[in-house]
Amino acid sequence: MDLQTLTYIVVGLTFALYFGIAIWARAGTTGEYYAAGRGVHPVANGMATAADWMSAASFIGMAGLIAFKGYDASIFLMGWTGGYVLLALCLAPYLRKFGKFTVPDFIGDRYYSSTARIVAVICLIVASLTYVIGQMKGIGVAFSRFMDVDYSTGLYTGMGIVFFYAVLGGMKGVTYTQIAQYCVLIFAYTVPAVFISLNLTGNPIPQLGFLSDTGDGTPLLVKLDQTLVDLGFAEYTAQKGGSFNMLMYTLSLMMGTAGLPHVIIRFFTVPKVSDARTSAGWALLFIAILYTTAPAVGSMARLNLTNTIQSGPVGSAEGNLVYAERPEWFKNWETTGLLQFEDKNGDGRIQYYDDTNPEFAAKAESFGWKGNEMIKVDRDIMVLANPEIAQLPNWVIALVAAGGLAAALSTAAGLLLAISTAISHDLLKRTFMPDIGEKQELMAARIAMAGAILVAGYLGMNPPGFAAQVVALAFGLAASSIFPVLMMGIFSTKVNNTGAVSGMLVGLVSTLVYIFTYKGWFFVAGTNMLPNTPDNWFLGIAPEAFGALGALLNFVTAFVVSNMTAPVPDDIRHMVEDIRFPKGAGEAQDH
Amino acid sequence: MAFQSEDDKKAYWRKNLNLMFTLLVVWALVSYGFGILLRPVLDAIPVGGVGLGFWFAQQGSIYVFLAIVAIYAKKMRALDREFGVDDD
């Protein structure tokens, strides 16, 4: 069977599964729509959270990011997992005990203020909507690359599927689809990784193969460093950026992870407070399986790719791959534009090296090289082409397609759910139309979901020029505005309404201004006030790493303002003391 | 009132915070410490061709995070039972 047919069959089967789940898991009440009736088993919720969390970027992009950034990409590995420690220890159990449906619900009630609730809704929508654009793009790209349909057809198909199970089933439908999607994506990620590790190191476990010796007895990472240095590239294991910036960046990603509403609301679906604690552990375990595999995939794929092109000694006439003899996968990915070759010195062979490295320039010239001829090596190639480079059977390649789509769909659905519940519950029911009944609220939730899908689809079709920058914005906002007020809401009985609102606004505005200063106002090119280079950054902190400092400003402002204004009312103090122990959390509903 | 007394309530919360802070110190130590700031020191210990610091940054810290969350869930369950505020 040819690859195309096989891909259609595998992807078709996974979609049929998602549809089946959607019909089975229809939501009948707002409790089911917002929190899956609070009847999700902690292990199941852990799996759903992992799928919710791991996006197209984690699945397709991260290994490539690690492959090209090496050690410096550790910030993503630590940041995107360490956030779950904060969630498990500081947020999830208490917010579950509070027993409402959304993040603005907690902020509005704890700070007894509609203003606080609305500011939280705005932060939530900005953070989630910017994040969802990337997912919609991921869906379109995954479809077009794997299934040979154009981007817009792919995007519409993806929208249709999410529409079906999210509008029908709400949190309940999304939860059970995400569980299926996790199984698909983790299988699709680990199978090629196992084979590539086996090929290179003889060890089937990628996490161990990563540290093992290659065929000639040299450890994998030593060999990779050597191979890269020989071609003028920076060492994989060397640190390139400043330590303080790395620390702040990691901290921002951790706080951002803990503060992202679409992740937090997943913990509202488990039956008990103690389940929220264990469920965070399960989520982290399921995420760690992919995140500890990613550095192995990244380093091994980079070594494979480099060795394919530089097949002999560096500098010898026969050392480079003859373009006409390039392998089949190379041709396949050339047609997608992810790999591009230009024979600059006209020798019919491919030279792949770092031509921006002045120290290597003289050497390259003496070899008769006239510049790097791999004019494009898209980092997504590291995961996408992996099964082909490792010469795995076609069904594995088809599986990677289904996995990439599962990752993008599950995250998009989770984000859209967070947005639509904030609108129907926090804005309508809790703020502007408190008199609507449950049936009307459920209808409003479904309409809001449909609307959110259309907006996300529109943004996916017409991605704003700044689409690549916005993930930093989402994490920055979650870290600087949402995370601190949640922490203070639980661990302090002193922070009051005025304090929280001022803190959120200071965190939000300072982070936005810092990002815009270097990246341009609203990301409009050319409007940045300072060049975006390390020597211009405040204390060497990159715009993406400012969230932690924004959070600090939020904390300080909230405490100072709270001290100067009216104290927290007694009933709110009691409410805070009440969420600090598990007993008496809302009962589970059967379904 | 879930607790026997105000003192119990305070004691429970203090024990919870102590556990939380201890675990967060470990959390910060393995990531910001071993993985970033102390990497030059730790790299003196070789692991699979690279240093221990590098291993903590790309693998080890994640395993420790898992252990932290598991320990917290287990110890808090015991603490909940001790004070009679568990949700079973």
Side-chain angles (χ1 to χ4, degrees), chain A residues 70-71 74 78 82 94 211 222 237 251 254 272-274 277 281 292 577 580-583, chain B residues 2-3 9 12-13 16 27 32 35 39 48-49 58-59 61 65 69 77 80 85 87-88:
Chain A
Y71 168 76
S74 308
M78 293 189 285
Y94 307 109
L211 304 167
V222 174
T237 56
L251 185 59
M254 287 183 180
K272 293 182 296 185
V273 173
S274 50
R277 295 184 196 127
T292 53
E577 286 173 359
R580 289 178 174 179
F581 58 89
K583 195 170 192 154
Chain B
F3 290 97
K9 188 160 125 185
Y12 170 85
W13 187 240
N16 175 17
W27 165 80
Y32 311 120
R39 186 191 168 198
Q58 298 217 328
Q59 299 272 306
S61 57
F65 294 160
V69 176
R77 220 177 162 79
D80 292 345
V85 291
D87 51 5
D88 290 320

mmCIF file of all heavy atoms in Angstrom, chain A residues 70-71 74 78 82 94 211 222 237 251 254 272-274 277 281 292 577 580-583, chain B residues 2-3 9 12-13 16 27 32 35 39 48-49 58-59 61 65 69 77 80 85 87-88:
data_model
loop_
_atom_site.group_PDB
_atom_site.id
_atom_site.type_symbol
_atom_site.label_atom_id
_atom_site.label_comp_id
_atom_site.label_asym_id
_atom_site.label_seq_id
_atom_site.Cartn_x
_atom_site.Cartn_y
_atom_site.Cartn_z
ATOM 1 N N GLY A 70 20.720 23.116 21.262
ATOM 2 C CA GLY A 70 21.512 22.295 22.175
ATOM 3 C C GLY A 70 21.196 22.575 23.633
ATOM 4 O O GLY A 70 20.032 22.654 24.021
ATOM 5 N N TYR A 71 22.237 22.774 24.423
ATOM 6 C CA TYR A 71 22.067 22.967 25.861
ATOM 7 C C TYR A 71 21.114 24.123 26.177
ATOM 8 O O TYR A 71 20.307 24.036 27.103
ATOM 9 C CB TYR A 71 23.419 23.212 26.531
ATOM 10 C CG TYR A 71 23.306 23.709 27.953
ATOM 11 C CD1 TYR A 71 22.969 22.838 28.985
ATOM 12 C CD2 TYR A 71 23.511 25.059 28.250
ATOM 13 C CE1 TYR A 71 22.841 23.297 30.288
ATOM 14 C CE2 TYR A 71 23.383 25.526 29.544
ATOM 15 C CZ TYR A 71 23.045 24.645 30.565
ATOM 16 O OH TYR A 71 22.918 25.107 31.840
ATOM 17 N N SER A 74 17.505 23.776 27.075
ATOM 18 C CA SER A 74 17.117 23.164 28.359
ATOM 19 C C SER A 74 16.063 23.999 29.075
ATOM 20 O O SER A 74 15.276 23.459 29.858
ATOM 21 C CB SER A 74 18.323 23.028 29.281
ATOM 22 O OG SER A 74 19.371 22.378 28.641
ATOM 23 N N MET A 78 13.050 22.260 31.129
ATOM 24 C CA MET A 78 12.819 22.468 32.567
ATOM 25 C C MET A 78 11.593 23.345 32.804
ATOM 26 O O MET A 78 10.800 23.085 33.692
ATOM 27 C CB MET A 78 14.049 23.113 33.206
ATOM 28 C CG MET A 78 15.256 22.210 33.227
ATOM 29 S SD MET A 78 16.621 22.890 34.199
ATOM 30 C CE MET A 78 17.238 24.151 33.101
ATOM 31 N N GLY A 82 8.699 21.976 34.914
ATOM 32 C CA GLY A 82 8.789 22.488 36.291
ATOM 33 C C GLY A 82 7.537 23.235 36.705
ATOM 34 O O GLY A 82 7.214 23.316 37.890
ATOM 35 N N TYR A 94 -5.974 23.568 45.796
ATOM 36 C CA TYR A 94 -6.771 24.634 46.418
ATOM 37 C C TYR A 94 -7.871 25.125 45.483
ATOM 38 O O TYR A 94 -8.987 25.391 45.903
ATOM 39 C CB TYR A 94 -5.861 25.793 46.831
ATOM 40 C CG TYR A 94 -4.713 25.322 47.683
ATOM 41 C CD1 TYR A 94 -3.416 25.294 47.199
ATOM 42 C CD2 TYR A 94 -4.946 24.865 48.982
ATOM 43 C CE1 TYR A 94 -2.367 24.833 47.972
ATOM 44 C CE2 TYR A 94 -3.900 24.397 49.764
ATOM 45 C CZ TYR A 94 -2.616 24.386 49.247
ATOM 46 O OH TYR A 94 -1.596 23.916 50.012
ATOM 47 N N LEU A 211 22.801 8.910 26.226
ATOM 48 C CA LEU A 211 24.039 8.957 27.012
ATOM 49 C C LEU A 211 24.972 7.798 26.661
ATOM 50 O O LEU A 211 25.983 7.582 27.314
ATOM 51 C CB LEU A 211 23.711 8.900 28.508
ATOM 52 C CG LEU A 211 22.750 9.967 29.020
ATOM 53 C CD1 LEU A 211 22.256 9.628 30.401
ATOM 54 C CD2 LEU A 211 23.426 11.327 29.019
ATOM 55 N N VAL A 222 29.438 13.376 22.613
ATOM 56 C CA VAL A 222 30.808 13.775 22.288
ATOM 57 C C VAL A 222 30.972 13.792 20.776
ATOM 58 O O VAL A 222 31.525 14.728 20.193
ATOM 59 C CB VAL A 222 31.817 12.802 22.934
ATOM 60 C CG1 VAL A 222 33.237 13.129 22.471
ATOM 61 C CG2 VAL A 222 31.710 12.850 24.445
ATOM 62 N N THR A 237 26.549 20.839 23.361
ATOM 63 C CA THR A 237 26.449 20.878 24.826
ATOM 64 C C THR A 237 26.935 22.188 25.431
ATOM 65 O O THR A 237 26.867 22.365 26.638
ATOM 66 C CB THR A 237 27.262 19.728 25.456
ATOM 67 O OG1 THR A 237 28.610 19.833 24.991
ATOM 68 C CG2 THR A 237 26.704 18.377 25.078
ATOM 69 N N LEU A 251 12.224 30.400 34.780
ATOM 70 C CA LEU A 251 11.253 30.761 35.811
ATOM 71 C C LEU A 251 9.971 31.306 35.182
ATOM 72 O O LEU A 251 8.857 30.974 35.611
ATOM 73 C CB LEU A 251 11.878 31.787 36.768
ATOM 74 C CG LEU A 251 11.070 32.193 37.981
ATOM 75 C CD1 LEU A 251 10.751 30.987 38.864
ATOM 76 C CD2 LEU A 251 11.823 33.239 38.810
ATOM 77 N N MET A 254 7.962 28.473 33.784
ATOM 78 C CA MET A 254 7.344 27.686 34.852
ATOM 79 C C MET A 254 6.109 28.391 35.400
ATOM 80 O O MET A 254 5.057 27.790 35.564
ATOM 81 C CB MET A 254 8.346 27.443 35.979
ATOM 82 C CG MET A 254 9.431 26.438 35.635
ATOM 83 S SD MET A 254 10.493 26.174 37.055
ATOM 84 C CE MET A 254 11.653 24.971 36.410
ATOM 85 N N LYS A 272 -11.894 14.703 43.692
ATOM 86 C CA LYS A 272 -11.493 15.154 45.028
ATOM 87 C C LYS A 272 -10.243 16.021 44.996
ATOM 88 O O LYS A 272 -9.510 16.038 44.020
ATOM 89 C CB LYS A 272 -11.206 13.927 45.912
ATOM 90 C CG LYS A 272 -12.441 13.095 46.209
ATOM 91 C CD LYS A 272 -12.110 11.930 47.118
ATOM 92 C CE LYS A 272 -11.152 10.962 46.478
ATOM 93 N NZ LYS A 272 -10.909 9.768 47.279
ATOM 94 N N VAL A 273 -10.003 16.722 46.132
ATOM 95 C CA VAL A 273 -8.812 17.562 46.252
ATOM 96 C C VAL A 273 -7.543 16.706 46.178
ATOM 97 O O VAL A 273 -6.581 17.050 45.485
ATOM 98 C CB VAL A 273 -8.841 18.348 47.578
ATOM 99 C CG1 VAL A 273 -7.531 19.098 47.787
ATOM 100 C CG2 VAL A 273 -10.016 19.320 47.566
ATOM 101 N N SER A 274 -7.553 15.580 46.880
ATOM 102 C CA SER A 274 -6.363 14.718 46.845
ATOM 103 C C SER A 274 -6.121 14.201 45.425
ATOM 104 O O SER A 274 -4.982 13.975 45.029
ATOM 105 C CB SER A 274 -6.502 13.562 47.830
ATOM 106 O OG SER A 274 -7.735 12.910 47.654
ATOM 107 N N ARG A 277 -4.009 16.631 43.446
ATOM 108 C CA ARG A 277 -2.561 16.501 43.695
ATOM 109 C C ARG A 277 -1.976 15.341 42.900
ATOM 110 O O ARG A 277 -0.948 15.498 42.232
ATOM 111 C CB ARG A 277 -2.300 16.247 45.181
ATOM 112 C CG ARG A 277 -2.675 17.392 46.087
ATOM 113 C CD ARG A 277 -2.260 17.046 47.520
ATOM 114 N NE ARG A 277 -2.901 17.902 48.489
ATOM 115 C CZ ARG A 277 -3.585 17.448 49.540
ATOM 116 N NH1 ARG A 277 -3.704 16.143 49.761
ATOM 117 N NH2 ARG A 277 -4.132 18.300 50.374
ATOM 118 N N GLY A 281 0.635 14.914 39.247
ATOM 119 C CA GLY A 281 1.773 14.004 39.119
ATOM 120 C C GLY A 281 1.656 13.123 37.884
ATOM 121 O O GLY A 281 2.618 12.941 37.136
ATOM 122 N N THR A 292 11.440 13.931 28.017
ATOM 123 C CA THR A 292 12.770 13.344 28.201
ATOM 124 C C THR A 292 13.220 12.624 26.927
ATOM 125 O O THR A 292 14.402 12.376 26.748
ATOM 126 C CB THR A 292 12.805 12.348 29.371
ATOM 127 O OG1 THR A 292 11.765 11.373 29.194
ATOM 128 C CG2 THR A 292 12.620 13.050 30.704
ATOM 129 N N GLU A 577 -9.494 30.398 54.210
ATOM 130 C CA GLU A 577 -9.088 29.364 55.159
ATOM 131 C C GLU A 577 -9.758 28.027 54.831
ATOM 132 O O GLU A 577 -9.201 26.968 55.070
ATOM 133 C CB GLU A 577 -9.425 29.812 56.590
ATOM 134 C CG GLU A 577 -8.448 30.887 57.051
ATOM 135 C CD GLU A 577 -8.799 31.501 58.393
ATOM 136 O OE1 GLU A 577 -9.841 31.102 58.972
ATOM 137 O OE2 GLU A 577 -8.046 32.369 58.848
ATOM 138 N N ARG A 580 -8.074 25.678 52.230
ATOM 139 C CA ARG A 580 -6.722 25.204 52.548
ATOM 140 C C ARG A 580 -6.682 23.763 53.041
ATOM 141 O O ARG A 580 -5.633 23.246 53.374
ATOM 142 C CB ARG A 580 -6.085 26.135 53.581
ATOM 143 C CG ARG A 580 -5.735 27.475 52.981
ATOM 144 C CD ARG A 580 -5.146 28.386 54.020
ATOM 145 N NE ARG A 580 -4.665 29.631 53.419
ATOM 146 C CZ ARG A 580 -4.131 30.606 54.120
ATOM 147 N NH1 ARG A 580 -4.000 30.485 55.439
ATOM 148 N NH2 ARG A 580 -3.716 31.701 53.522
ATOM 149 N N PHE A 581 -7.844 23.123 53.188
ATOM 150 C CA PHE A 581 -7.829 21.694 53.530
ATOM 151 C C PHE A 581 -8.853 20.981 52.649
ATOM 152 O O PHE A 581 -9.820 21.586 52.197
ATOM 153 C CB PHE A 581 -8.114 21.484 55.022
ATOM 154 C CG PHE A 581 -9.429 22.058 55.468
ATOM 155 C CD1 PHE A 581 -10.592 21.288 55.402
ATOM 156 C CD2 PHE A 581 -9.516 23.362 55.919
ATOM 157 C CE1 PHE A 581 -11.803 21.818 55.787
ATOM 158 C CE2 PHE A 581 -10.730 23.896 56.299
ATOM 159 C CZ PHE A 581 -11.875 23.131 56.249
ATOM 160 N N PRO A 582 -8.630 19.672 52.405
ATOM 161 C CA PRO A 582 -9.420 18.972 51.385
ATOM 162 C C PRO A 582 -10.866 18.678 51.767
ATOM 163 O O PRO A 582 -11.734 18.653 50.898
ATOM 164 C CB PRO A 582 -8.674 17.650 51.190
ATOM 165 C CG PRO A 582 -7.330 17.853 51.787
ATOM 166 C CD PRO A 582 -7.495 18.857 52.867
ATOM 167 N N LYS A 583 -11.151 18.454 53.041
ATOM 168 C CA LYS A 583 -12.458 17.941 53.418
ATOM 169 C C LYS A 583 -13.606 18.820 52.923
ATOM 170 O O LYS A 583 -13.560 20.035 53.046
ATOM 171 C CB LYS A 583 -12.544 17.818 54.946
ATOM 172 C CG LYS A 583 -13.714 16.978 55.402
ATOM 173 C CD LYS A 583 -13.621 16.693 56.889
ATOM 174 C CE LYS A 583 -14.608 15.625 57.267
ATOM 175 N NZ LYS A 583 -14.165 14.900 58.466
ATOM 176 N N ALA B 2 -14.063 21.752 60.296
ATOM 177 C CA ALA B 2 -13.404 20.477 60.000
ATOM 178 C C ALA B 2 -12.323 20.133 61.023
ATOM 179 O O ALA B 2 -12.109 18.966 61.336
ATOM 180 C CB ALA B 2 -12.786 20.524 58.612
ATOM 181 N N PHE B 3 -11.676 21.144 61.568
ATOM 182 C CA PHE B 3 -10.597 20.878 62.519
ATOM 183 C C PHE B 3 -11.146 20.807 63.942
ATOM 184 O O PHE B 3 -12.187 21.385 64.258
ATOM 185 C CB PHE B 3 -9.534 21.983 62.443
ATOM 186 C CG PHE B 3 -8.734 21.954 61.177
ATOM 187 C CD1 PHE B 3 -9.066 22.783 60.122
ATOM 188 C CD2 PHE B 3 -7.658 21.093 61.047
ATOM 189 C CE1 PHE B 3 -8.333 22.760 58.950
ATOM 190 C CE2 PHE B 3 -6.919 21.062 59.882
ATOM 191 C CZ PHE B 3 -7.256 21.899 58.828
ATOM 192 N N LYS B 9 -5.841 23.747 63.205
ATOM 193 C CA LYS B 9 -5.910 24.371 61.891
ATOM 194 C C LYS B 9 -4.577 25.036 61.555
ATOM 195 O O LYS B 9 -4.057 24.889 60.448
ATOM 196 C CB LYS B 9 -7.042 25.397 61.912
ATOM 197 C CG LYS B 9 -7.380 25.998 60.581
ATOM 198 C CD LYS B 9 -8.781 26.588 60.636
ATOM 199 C CE LYS B 9 -8.779 28.026 60.227
ATOM 200 N NZ LYS B 9 -10.116 28.628 60.391
ATOM 201 N N TYR B 12 -1.790 22.343 61.044
ATOM 202 C CA TYR B 12 -1.927 21.680 59.741
ATOM 203 C C TYR B 12 -1.349 22.563 58.637
ATOM 204 O O TYR B 12 -0.568 22.121 57.810
ATOM 205 C CB TYR B 12 -3.400 21.395 59.465
ATOM 206 C CG TYR B 12 -3.693 20.917 58.045
ATOM 207 C CD1 TYR B 12 -3.577 19.582 57.708
ATOM 208 C CD2 TYR B 12 -4.096 21.821 57.050
ATOM 209 C CE1 TYR B 12 -3.848 19.136 56.418
ATOM 210 C CE2 TYR B 12 -4.362 21.395 55.767
ATOM 211 C CZ TYR B 12 -4.247 20.052 55.454
ATOM 212 O OH TYR B 12 -4.515 19.629 54.173
ATOM 213 N N TRP B 13 -1.729 23.835 58.658
ATOM 214 C CA TRP B 13 -1.284 24.749 57.604
ATOM 215 C C TRP B 13 0.224 24.950 57.664
ATOM 216 O O TRP B 13 0.908 24.979 56.641
ATOM 217 C CB TRP B 13 -2.040 26.071 57.739
ATOM 218 C CG TRP B 13 -1.791 27.030 56.590
ATOM 219 C CD1 TRP B 13 -1.256 28.284 56.673
ATOM 220 C CD2 TRP B 13 -2.062 26.814 55.197
ATOM 221 N NE1 TRP B 13 -1.182 28.864 55.437
ATOM 222 C CE2 TRP B 13 -1.675 27.984 54.511
ATOM 223 C CE3 TRP B 13 -2.601 25.746 54.472
ATOM 224 C CZ2 TRP B 13 -1.795 28.112 53.124
ATOM 225 C CZ3 TRP B 13 -2.716 25.880 53.094
ATOM 226 C CH2 TRP B 13 -2.321 27.054 52.430
ATOM 227 N N ASN B 16 1.925 21.912 56.256
ATOM 228 C CA ASN B 16 1.774 21.932 54.798
ATOM 229 C C ASN B 16 2.785 22.898 54.173
ATOM 230 O O ASN B 16 3.489 22.554 53.227
ATOM 231 C CB ASN B 16 0.332 22.345 54.449
ATOM 232 C CG ASN B 16 0.111 22.502 52.937
ATOM 233 O OD1 ASN B 16 0.894 22.029 52.142
ATOM 234 N ND2 ASN B 16 -0.953 23.181 52.560
ATOM 235 N N TRP B 27 13.191 21.694 44.183
ATOM 236 C CA TRP B 27 12.766 22.045 42.815
ATOM 237 C C TRP B 27 13.695 23.097 42.205
ATOM 238 O O TRP B 27 14.183 22.961 41.091
ATOM 239 C CB TRP B 27 11.326 22.555 42.922
ATOM 240 C CG TRP B 27 10.733 23.296 41.766
ATOM 241 C CD1 TRP B 27 10.209 22.748 40.635
ATOM 242 C CD2 TRP B 27 10.536 24.721 41.648
ATOM 243 N NE1 TRP B 27 9.705 23.739 39.819
ATOM 244 C CE2 TRP B 27 9.886 24.952 40.410
ATOM 245 C CE3 TRP B 27 10.840 25.811 42.465
ATOM 246 C CZ2 TRP B 27 9.537 26.224 39.972
ATOM 247 C CZ3 TRP B 27 10.494 27.084 42.032
ATOM 248 C CH2 TRP B 27 9.853 27.282 40.797
ATOM 249 N N TYR B 32 17.387 25.446 38.554
ATOM 250 C CA TYR B 32 18.218 26.664 38.489
ATOM 251 C C TYR B 32 19.624 26.399 39.003
ATOM 252 O O TYR B 32 20.599 26.930 38.495
ATOM 253 C CB TYR B 32 17.580 27.795 39.303
ATOM 254 C CG TYR B 32 16.124 27.979 38.984
ATOM 255 C CD1 TYR B 32 15.150 27.839 39.960
ATOM 256 C CD2 TYR B 32 15.735 28.254 37.678
ATOM 257 C CE1 TYR B 32 13.813 27.980 39.653
ATOM 258 C CE2 TYR B 32 14.399 28.397 37.371
ATOM 259 C CZ TYR B 32 13.442 28.263 38.357
ATOM 260 O OH TYR B 32 12.128 28.387 38.055
ATOM 261 N N GLY B 35 21.097 22.570 37.046
ATOM 262 C CA GLY B 35 20.963 22.649 35.597
ATOM 263 C C GLY B 35 21.588 23.892 34.989
ATOM 264 O O GLY B 35 22.004 23.871 33.839
ATOM 265 N N ARG B 39 26.171 24.353 36.900
ATOM 266 C CA ARG B 39 26.574 23.406 35.861
ATOM 267 C C ARG B 39 28.093 23.276 35.736
ATOM 268 O O ARG B 39 28.616 22.164 35.660
ATOM 269 C CB ARG B 39 25.968 23.801 34.508
ATOM 270 C CG ARG B 39 26.263 22.762 33.460
ATOM 271 C CD ARG B 39 25.934 23.187 32.037
ATOM 272 N NE ARG B 39 26.540 22.206 31.144
ATOM 273 C CZ ARG B 39 26.763 22.393 29.864
ATOM 274 N NH1 ARG B 39 26.408 23.512 29.285
ATOM 275 N NH2 ARG B 39 27.331 21.456 29.132
ATOM 276 N N GLY B 48 27.773 9.800 30.669
ATOM 277 C CA GLY B 48 27.556 9.515 29.246
ATOM 278 C C GLY B 48 28.234 10.492 28.307
ATOM 279 O O GLY B 48 27.636 10.962 27.353
ATOM 280 N N GLY B 49 29.504 10.821 28.597
ATOM 281 C CA GLY B 49 30.251 11.683 27.696
ATOM 282 C C GLY B 49 30.061 13.165 27.969
ATOM 283 O O GLY B 49 30.789 13.991 27.460
ATOM 284 N N GLN B 58 18.818 18.578 31.023
ATOM 285 C CA GLN B 58 18.007 18.000 29.945
ATOM 286 C C GLN B 58 17.236 16.750 30.348
ATOM 287 O O GLN B 58 16.380 16.300 29.603
ATOM 288 C CB GLN B 58 18.885 17.720 28.720
ATOM 289 C CG GLN B 58 19.500 19.003 28.158
ATOM 290 C CD GLN B 58 19.585 19.035 26.651
ATOM 291 O OE1 GLN B 58 19.759 18.020 26.009
ATOM 292 N NE2 GLN B 58 19.465 20.219 26.075
ATOM 293 N N GLN B 59 17.564 16.152 31.484
ATOM 294 C CA GLN B 59 16.877 14.932 31.900
ATOM 295 C C GLN B 59 16.579 14.925 33.407
ATOM 296 O O GLN B 59 15.433 14.799 33.818
ATOM 297 C CB GLN B 59 17.750 13.696 31.589
ATOM 298 C CG GLN B 59 18.085 13.492 30.129
ATOM 299 C CD GLN B 59 17.032 12.689 29.402
ATOM 300 O OE1 GLN B 59 16.678 11.592 29.805
ATOM 301 N NE2 GLN B 59 16.519 13.239 28.331
ATOM 302 N N SER B 61 16.499 16.953 36.038
ATOM 303 C CA SER B 61 15.569 17.830 36.759
ATOM 304 C C SER B 61 14.135 17.329 36.582
ATOM 305 O O SER B 61 13.347 17.351 37.527
ATOM 306 C CB SER B 61 15.714 19.273 36.273
ATOM 307 O OG SER B 61 15.506 19.332 34.880
ATOM 308 N N PHE B 65 11.481 16.451 39.460
ATOM 309 C CA PHE B 65 10.153 17.098 39.539
ATOM 310 C C PHE B 65 9.071 16.049 39.793
ATOM 311 O O PHE B 65 8.159 16.252 40.603
ATOM 312 C CB PHE B 65 9.804 17.826 38.229
ATOM 313 C CG PHE B 65 10.670 19.011 37.906
ATOM 314 C CD1 PHE B 65 10.749 19.487 36.596
ATOM 315 C CD2 PHE B 65 11.394 19.667 38.889
ATOM 316 C CE1 PHE B 65 11.540 20.582 36.284
ATOM 317 C CE2 PHE B 65 12.193 20.766 38.579
ATOM 318 C CZ PHE B 65 12.266 21.213 37.271
ATOM 319 N N VAL B 69 6.469 15.849 43.107
ATOM 320 C CA VAL B 69 5.003 15.840 43.074
ATOM 321 C C VAL B 69 4.455 14.575 43.747
ATOM 322 O O VAL B 69 3.478 14.630 44.508
ATOM 323 C CB VAL B 69 4.481 15.972 41.620
ATOM 324 C CG1 VAL B 69 2.974 15.871 41.578
ATOM 325 C CG2 VAL B 69 4.928 17.289 41.021
ATOM 326 N N ARG B 77 -1.487 13.413 51.935
ATOM 327 C CA ARG B 77 -2.574 12.478 52.249
ATOM 328 C C ARG B 77 -2.470 12.025 53.700
ATOM 329 O O ARG B 77 -3.466 11.975 54.419
ATOM 330 C CB ARG B 77 -2.475 11.270 51.302
ATOM 331 C CG ARG B 77 -3.802 10.788 50.828
ATOM 332 C CD ARG B 77 -3.633 9.637 49.847
ATOM 333 N NE ARG B 77 -4.902 8.927 49.737
ATOM 334 C CZ ARG B 77 -5.913 9.359 49.005
ATOM 335 N NH1 ARG B 77 -5.808 10.475 48.342
ATOM 336 N NH2 ARG B 77 -7.034 8.662 48.957
ATOM 337 N N ASP B 80 -3.437 14.953 55.910
ATOM 338 C CA ASP B 80 -4.896 15.120 55.911
ATOM 339 C C ASP B 80 -5.542 14.142 56.890
ATOM 340 O O ASP B 80 -6.437 14.509 57.661
ATOM 341 C CB ASP B 80 -5.481 14.846 54.513
ATOM 342 C CG ASP B 80 -5.079 15.901 53.491
ATOM 343 O OD1 ASP B 80 -4.606 16.964 53.900
ATOM 344 O OD2 ASP B 80 -5.238 15.638 52.283
ATOM 345 N N VAL B 85 -8.911 15.809 58.071
ATOM 346 C CA VAL B 85 -9.501 16.689 57.060
ATOM 347 C C VAL B 85 -9.380 16.088 55.667
ATOM 348 O O VAL B 85 -9.426 16.798 54.663
ATOM 349 C CB VAL B 85 -8.864 18.098 57.058
ATOM 350 C CG1 VAL B 85 -9.250 18.845 58.324
ATOM 351 C CG2 VAL B 85 -7.350 18.016 56.930
ATOM 352 N N ASP B 87 -10.407 13.758 52.319
ATOM 353 C CA ASP B 87 -11.659 13.791 51.549
ATOM 354 C C ASP B 87 -12.104 12.401 51.114
ATOM 355 O O ASP B 87 -12.796 12.256 50.117
ATOM 356 C CB ASP B 87 -11.534 14.737 50.347
ATOM 357 C CG ASP B 87 -10.292 14.458 49.513
ATOM 358 O OD1 ASP B 87 -9.582 13.474 49.803
ATOM 359 O OD2 ASP B 87 -10.038 15.241 48.589
ATOM 360 N N ASP B 88 -11.679 11.382 51.852
ATOM 361 C CA ASP B 88 -12.103 10.019 51.479
ATOM 362 C C ASP B 88 -13.482 9.692 52.035
ATOM 363 O O ASP B 88 -13.841 10.160 53.097
ATOM 364 C CB ASP B 88 -11.097 8.985 51.988
ATOM 365 C CG ASP B 88 -9.805 9.089 51.198
ATOM 366 O OD1 ASP B 88 -9.886 9.285 49.981
ATOM 367 O OD2 ASP B 88 -8.735 9.009 51.829
#
